[in-house]
Amino acid sequence: KARSMPREKGLEKGPSVLREGYLYILNRRKSFQSDVFETRLLGQKAICMGGEEATKLFYDPEKFIREGAMPKRVQKTLTGEKGVQSLDGDKHANRKAMFMSLMSSEELDRLSAILEKKWENALDKWGNSKEIVLYEEVQNILSRTACEWAGVPLPENQVKKRTNQLVKLFETPATIGPAHWQGRHARNEADEWVEELIEKVRNGELEPPENTALFAFSWHKDLNGELLPFETAAVDVLNILRPITAISIYCCFTGLAVHQYPEEAEKLRSGDKNKLQQFVQEVRRFYPFFPFQAAKVKEDFIWNGYEFKKGTLTLLDIYGSCHDPKVWDNPELFHPERFSDWRESPFSFIPQGGGTYMGGHRCAGEYITLRVMHTCLDYLVNKMIYEVPEQDFSYSVVNMPSIPKSKMILTNVKRK
Ligand code: HEM
């Protein structure tokens, strides 16, 4: 017989998730002393859970599905509609394979080469200005890199406009009022932009290289052997361009970590690849980015004595899993070496989701993210000199996505 889950009370005051942001689930896992609890979200009963065992459960496709799980406000900005994130089963496998076909080591090398070229160009430019805002500069570098890598033409006079649109998509899903509406507007404009490109590819006006996302997604066939609708193909091309640009958030935090933990940064001066990798992993663990991931219970089942009812909205604690004292010693300590003898499982370290890439929903761009952060870190510690003036480095653990307030201002930037 099922027992009842710890249940949050006093919800008439409104959902605490808005007031506690990233810490909402972890705070309750600690106070309930339970990795699973029941609450109400968006006017419905919901389950929140975290920890390695719960993560394994969440990524079991027999237990959870994604259809109808993502709030509309997130679809209307961040993800778009009918993209890979929203699919289950065979349809998902077919679409995910389309993404993963772009992630070979040759393609990652090609992306790294483009990125270095763009970073070098930017470095030339930075030498002429007294001060730069790292977050904004890297957005620019990354949107250029993403477009070139994906075969998407980006004329110089459009860089600013398109970069701003891509940034709005990931900065606005959790905002309210005018900021949020700007995000929805940016989504419409970006969708239209890429739909037109796909139309041009299909009618032969535009011929991107065959190994690019624009080519692959324009010609991808679904399980019925049909091309994707224009809108859907566009949403998925944007599922490449947007998140690559969003790595600017991690790059900004990387800059912050280098500044705030100089003794850790010092250890990277030899250019040791493993050390750089450990630092990057610790940035992904330590700083807030993705708060939680939503799914719905596929069929009734019982787990650890608790009843999961078909259709119940369920949130997996992404941020909290990276700060769980049961998994990490001194989770609030920035300590890259914790990754030196790290025994990884697909469910233990999940800043970009857990499980497998092909069978499940784990982030398609995790290797790209690691590559980009590695390059960024190597530039910051080994290939550039700069000063970091006094500024407001604070970042929120409530507002999503969290970004350091000053966005990392650097002065007198030069090539080393
Ligand atoms: C999915 C995080 C970068 C493409 C996800 C998920 C998370 C995530 C948490 C959801 C996992 C789930 O549904 O269970 C991040 C973070 C990034 C990042 C923090 C840092 C900027 C990227 C990049 C790309 C990418 C660079 C592509 C170039 C995707 C795609 C999915 C996804 C296509 C959907 C996968 C699926 O539903 O099967 N990401 N991601 N992401 N990400 Fe990322």
Side-chain angles (χ1 to χ4, degrees), residues 110-240:
R110 188 167 70 82
L111 183 126
S112 292
I114 296 170
L115 173 63
E116 280 183 34
K117 199 176 66 195
K118 307 283 180 209
W119 201 293
E120 287 293 327
N121 291 344
L123 203 41
D124 288 335
K125 202 189 73 186
W126 297 340
N128 300 323
S129 47
K130 247 187 105 50
E131 137 178 340
I132 66 158
V133 178
L134 184 67
Y135 178 49
E136 288 165 3
E137 291 295 321
V138 174
Q139 286 171 357
N140 213 291
I141 293 175
L142 289 177
S143 68
R144 289 171 189 268
T145 301
C147 286
E148 185 170 328
W149 186 69
V152 169
L154 183 63
E156 192 57 38
N157 64 5
Q158 295 214 358
V159 172
K160 205 166 168 191
K161 169 173 147 192
R162 296 306 179 194
T163 304
N164 286 339
Q165 274 169 7
L166 293 169
V167 168
K168 288 252 172 348
L169 301 182
F170 61 80
E171 281 191 349
T172 62
T175 56
I176 50 170
H180 183 70
W181 292 101
Q182 279 182 22
R184 290 191 180 219
H185 183 66
R187 165 54 66 182
N188 293 339
E189 302 253 286
D191 280 350
E192 224 169 85
W193 166 43
V194 181
E195 276 166 41
E196 248 168 59
L197 293 176
I198 288 164
E199 214 168 330
K200 283 189 180 158
V201 174
R202 287 185 183 167
N203 69 24
E205 269 178 74
L206 188 63
E207 291 183 53
E210 289 191 18
N211 54 344
T212 60
L214 184 59
F215 182 94
F217 295 10
S218 294
W219 298 116
H220 177 78
K221 299 224 169 101
D222 69 12
L223 291 171
N224 301 322
E226 285 169 25
L227 296 177
L228 299 175
F230 289 113
E231 312 85 73
T232 310
V235 159
D236 275 338
V237 170
L238 286 166
N239 269 331
I240 296 281

